mmCIF file of all heavy atoms in Angstrom:
data_model
loop_
_atom_site.group_PDB
_atom_site.id
_atom_site.type_symbol
_atom_site.label_atom_id
_atom_site.label_comp_id
_atom_site.label_asym_id
_atom_site.label_seq_id
_atom_site.Cartn_x
_atom_site.Cartn_y
_atom_site.Cartn_z
ATOM 1 N N LEU D 1385 144.893 42.600 70.776
ATOM 2 C CA LEU D 1385 143.476 42.949 70.770
ATOM 3 C C LEU D 1385 142.602 41.717 70.588
ATOM 4 O O LEU D 1385 141.535 41.607 71.209
ATOM 5 C CB LEU D 1385 143.195 43.984 69.673
ATOM 6 C CG LEU D 1385 143.818 45.364 69.916
ATOM 7 C CD1 LEU D 1385 143.707 46.225 68.668
ATOM 8 C CD2 LEU D 1385 143.175 46.043 71.108
ATOM 9 N N ALA D 1386 143.029 40.770 69.750
ATOM 10 C CA ALA D 1386 142.265 39.538 69.551
ATOM 11 C C ALA D 1386 142.177 38.738 70.849
ATOM 12 O O ALA D 1386 141.132 38.151 71.158
ATOM 13 C CB ALA D 1386 142.905 38.700 68.446
ATOM 14 N N PHE D 1387 143.260 38.706 71.608
ATOM 15 C CA PHE D 1387 143.257 38.025 72.895
ATOM 16 C C PHE D 1387 142.210 38.644 73.825
ATOM 17 O O PHE D 1387 141.422 37.943 74.471
ATOM 18 C CB PHE D 1387 144.647 38.090 73.543
ATOM 19 C CG PHE D 1387 144.657 37.610 74.959
ATOM 20 C CD1 PHE D 1387 144.739 36.252 75.235
ATOM 21 C CD2 PHE D 1387 144.566 38.498 76.015
ATOM 22 C CE1 PHE D 1387 144.737 35.801 76.554
ATOM 23 C CE2 PHE D 1387 144.565 38.061 77.325
ATOM 24 C CZ PHE D 1387 144.651 36.697 77.603
ATOM 25 N N HIS D 1388 142.187 39.964 73.898
ATOM 26 C CA HIS D 1388 141.245 40.641 74.787
ATOM 27 C C HIS D 1388 139.813 40.575 74.256
ATOM 28 O O HIS D 1388 138.859 40.556 75.053
ATOM 29 C CB HIS D 1388 141.697 42.063 75.068
ATOM 30 C CG HIS D 1388 142.874 42.090 75.993
ATOM 31 N ND1 HIS D 1388 142.770 41.803 77.326
ATOM 32 C CD2 HIS D 1388 144.184 42.311 75.753
ATOM 33 C CE1 HIS D 1388 143.955 41.861 77.886
ATOM 34 N NE2 HIS D 1388 144.839 42.161 76.951
ATOM 35 N N GLU D 1389 139.656 40.518 72.937
ATOM 36 C CA GLU D 1389 138.323 40.304 72.372
ATOM 37 C C GLU D 1389 137.787 38.944 72.822
ATOM 38 O O GLU D 1389 136.644 38.831 73.292
ATOM 39 C CB GLU D 1389 138.356 40.360 70.847
ATOM 40 C CG GLU D 1389 137.007 40.058 70.221
ATOM 41 C CD GLU D 1389 137.047 39.845 68.728
ATOM 42 O OE1 GLU D 1389 138.094 40.068 68.085
ATOM 43 O OE2 GLU D 1389 136.009 39.420 68.189
ATOM 44 N N ALA D 1390 138.591 37.912 72.677
ATOM 45 C CA ALA D 1390 138.173 36.560 73.074
ATOM 46 C C ALA D 1390 137.868 36.506 74.572
ATOM 47 O O ALA D 1390 136.892 35.869 74.992
ATOM 48 C CB ALA D 1390 139.251 35.551 72.701
ATOM 49 N N SER D 1391 138.688 37.178 75.373
ATOM 50 C CA SER D 1391 138.479 37.209 76.813
ATOM 51 C C SER D 1391 137.143 37.874 77.150
ATOM 52 O O SER D 1391 136.377 37.372 77.986
ATOM 53 C CB SER D 1391 139.627 37.953 77.485
ATOM 54 O OG SER D 1391 139.381 38.125 78.855
ATOM 55 N N ALA D 1392 136.848 38.986 76.496
ATOM 56 C CA ALA D 1392 135.588 39.691 76.758
ATOM 57 C C ALA D 1392 134.398 38.855 76.299
ATOM 58 O O ALA D 1392 133.355 38.824 76.967
ATOM 59 C CB ALA D 1392 135.596 41.051 76.064
ATOM 60 N N ARG D 1393 134.531 38.154 75.185
ATOM 61 C CA ARG D 1393 133.427 37.298 74.714
ATOM 62 C C ARG D 1393 133.187 36.155 75.706
ATOM 63 O O ARG D 1393 132.045 35.792 75.979
ATOM 64 C CB ARG D 1393 133.713 36.766 73.323
ATOM 65 C CG ARG D 1393 133.696 37.869 72.282
ATOM 66 C CD ARG D 1393 133.261 37.454 70.915
ATOM 67 N NE ARG D 1393 133.502 38.530 69.962
ATOM 68 C CZ ARG D 1393 132.708 39.574 69.790
ATOM 69 N NH1 ARG D 1393 131.612 39.696 70.510
ATOM 70 N NH2 ARG D 1393 132.997 40.502 68.905
ATOM 71 N N ALA D 1394 134.247 35.587 76.249
ATOM 72 C CA ALA D 1394 134.105 34.523 77.242
ATOM 73 C C ALA D 1394 133.417 35.059 78.500
ATOM 74 O O ALA D 1394 132.539 34.393 79.074
ATOM 75 C CB ALA D 1394 135.467 33.938 77.591
ATOM 76 N N LYS D 1395 133.800 36.260 78.920
ATOM 77 C CA LYS D 1395 133.156 36.866 80.094
ATOM 78 C C LYS D 1395 131.682 37.158 79.811
ATOM 79 O O LYS D 1395 130.841 37.009 80.701
ATOM 80 C CB LYS D 1395 133.879 38.145 80.497
ATOM 81 C CG LYS D 1395 135.234 37.894 81.119
ATOM 82 C CD LYS D 1395 135.950 39.203 81.421
ATOM 83 C CE LYS D 1395 137.354 38.942 81.932
ATOM 84 N NZ LYS D 1395 138.104 40.199 82.114
ATOM 85 N N ALA D 1396 131.366 37.567 78.581
ATOM 86 C CA ALA D 1396 129.965 37.814 78.219
ATOM 87 C C ALA D 1396 129.167 36.519 78.285
ATOM 88 O O ALA D 1396 128.030 36.510 78.762
ATOM 89 C CB ALA D 1396 129.877 38.427 76.823
ATOM 90 N N ASP D 1397 129.759 35.424 77.824
ATOM 91 C CA ASP D 1397 129.083 34.124 77.868
ATOM 92 C C ASP D 1397 128.824 33.680 79.306
ATOM 93 O O ASP D 1397 127.840 32.990 79.581
ATOM 94 C CB ASP D 1397 129.908 33.058 77.146
ATOM 95 C CG ASP D 1397 129.925 33.241 75.638
ATOM 96 O OD1 ASP D 1397 129.058 33.985 75.115
ATOM 97 O OD2 ASP D 1397 130.811 32.652 74.994
ATOM 98 N N GLN D 1398 129.685 34.064 80.220
ATOM 99 C CA GLN D 1398 129.575 33.649 81.617
ATOM 100 C C GLN D 1398 128.835 34.664 82.493
ATOM 101 O O GLN D 1398 128.595 34.401 83.665
ATOM 102 C CB GLN D 1398 130.972 33.411 82.200
ATOM 103 C CG GLN D 1398 131.728 32.295 81.520
ATOM 104 C CD GLN D 1398 133.186 32.248 81.946
ATOM 105 O OE1 GLN D 1398 133.659 33.082 82.696
ATOM 106 N NE2 GLN D 1398 133.906 31.259 81.427
ATOM 107 N N ALA D 1399 128.474 35.790 81.901
ATOM 108 C CA ALA D 1399 127.843 36.859 82.675
ATOM 109 C C ALA D 1399 126.505 36.405 83.242
ATOM 110 O O ALA D 1399 125.778 35.631 82.622
ATOM 111 C CB ALA D 1399 127.651 38.092 81.805
ATOM 112 N N GLU D 1400 126.205 36.903 84.418
ATOM 113 C CA GLU D 1400 124.960 36.541 85.084
ATOM 114 C C GLU D 1400 123.858 37.569 84.876
ATOM 115 O O GLU D 1400 122.688 37.282 85.141
ATOM 116 C CB GLU D 1400 125.222 36.337 86.578
ATOM 117 C CG GLU D 1400 126.154 35.166 86.842
ATOM 118 C CD GLU D 1400 126.408 34.939 88.317
ATOM 119 O OE1 GLU D 1400 125.789 35.619 89.160
ATOM 120 O OE2 GLU D 1400 127.235 34.070 88.624
ATOM 121 N N THR D 1401 124.212 38.750 84.407
ATOM 122 C CA THR D 1401 123.194 39.781 84.171
ATOM 123 C C THR D 1401 123.287 40.276 82.736
ATOM 124 O O THR D 1401 124.343 40.182 82.088
ATOM 125 C CB THR D 1401 123.381 40.983 85.118
ATOM 126 O OG1 THR D 1401 124.611 41.638 84.801
ATOM 127 C CG2 THR D 1401 123.378 40.557 86.582
ATOM 128 N N ASP D 1402 122.174 40.809 82.247
ATOM 129 C CA ASP D 1402 122.160 41.371 80.898
ATOM 130 C C ASP D 1402 123.127 42.545 80.782
ATOM 131 O O ASP D 1402 123.783 42.713 79.751
ATOM 132 C CB ASP D 1402 120.760 41.823 80.510
ATOM 133 C CG ASP D 1402 119.840 40.666 80.190
ATOM 134 O OD1 ASP D 1402 120.346 39.560 79.869
ATOM 135 O OD2 ASP D 1402 118.609 40.859 80.256
ATOM 136 N N GLU D 1403 123.217 43.334 81.851
ATOM 137 C CA GLU D 1403 124.113 44.490 81.823
ATOM 138 C C GLU D 1403 125.563 44.050 81.631
ATOM 139 O O GLU D 1403 126.306 44.656 80.857
ATOM 140 C CB GLU D 1403 123.982 45.322 83.102
ATOM 141 C CG GLU D 1403 122.674 46.051 83.241
ATOM 142 C CD GLU D 1403 121.549 45.192 83.824
ATOM 143 O OE1 GLU D 1403 121.814 44.031 84.231
ATOM 144 O OE2 GLU D 1403 120.414 45.683 83.858
ATOM 145 N N SER D 1404 125.951 43.011 82.325
ATOM 146 C CA SER D 1404 127.316 42.495 82.191
ATOM 147 C C SER D 1404 127.552 41.927 80.800
ATOM 148 O O SER D 1404 128.604 42.136 80.212
ATOM 149 C CB SER D 1404 127.590 41.410 83.232
ATOM 150 O OG SER D 1404 127.624 41.960 84.521
ATOM 151 N N ARG D 1405 126.555 41.209 80.276
ATOM 152 C CA ARG D 1405 126.679 40.646 78.920
ATOM 153 C C ARG D 1405 126.854 41.747 77.886
ATOM 154 O O ARG D 1405 127.704 41.672 77.006
ATOM 155 C CB ARG D 1405 125.442 39.805 78.587
ATOM 156 C CG ARG D 1405 125.672 38.331 78.695
ATOM 157 C CD ARG D 1405 124.477 37.535 78.212
ATOM 158 N NE ARG D 1405 123.278 37.701 79.039
ATOM 159 C CZ ARG D 1405 123.125 37.224 80.262
ATOM 160 N NH1 ARG D 1405 124.076 36.534 80.833
ATOM 161 N NH2 ARG D 1405 122.015 37.427 80.936
#
Side-chain angles (χ1 to χ4, degrees):
L1385 292 169
F1387 170 83
H1388 287 287
E1389 176 191 352
S1391 174
R1393 292 210 190 279
K1395 288 176 185 175
D1397 289 343
Q1398 297 170 356
E1400 296 181 5
T1401 66
D1402 286 339
E1403 291 84 6
S1404 292
R1405 258 186 294 289

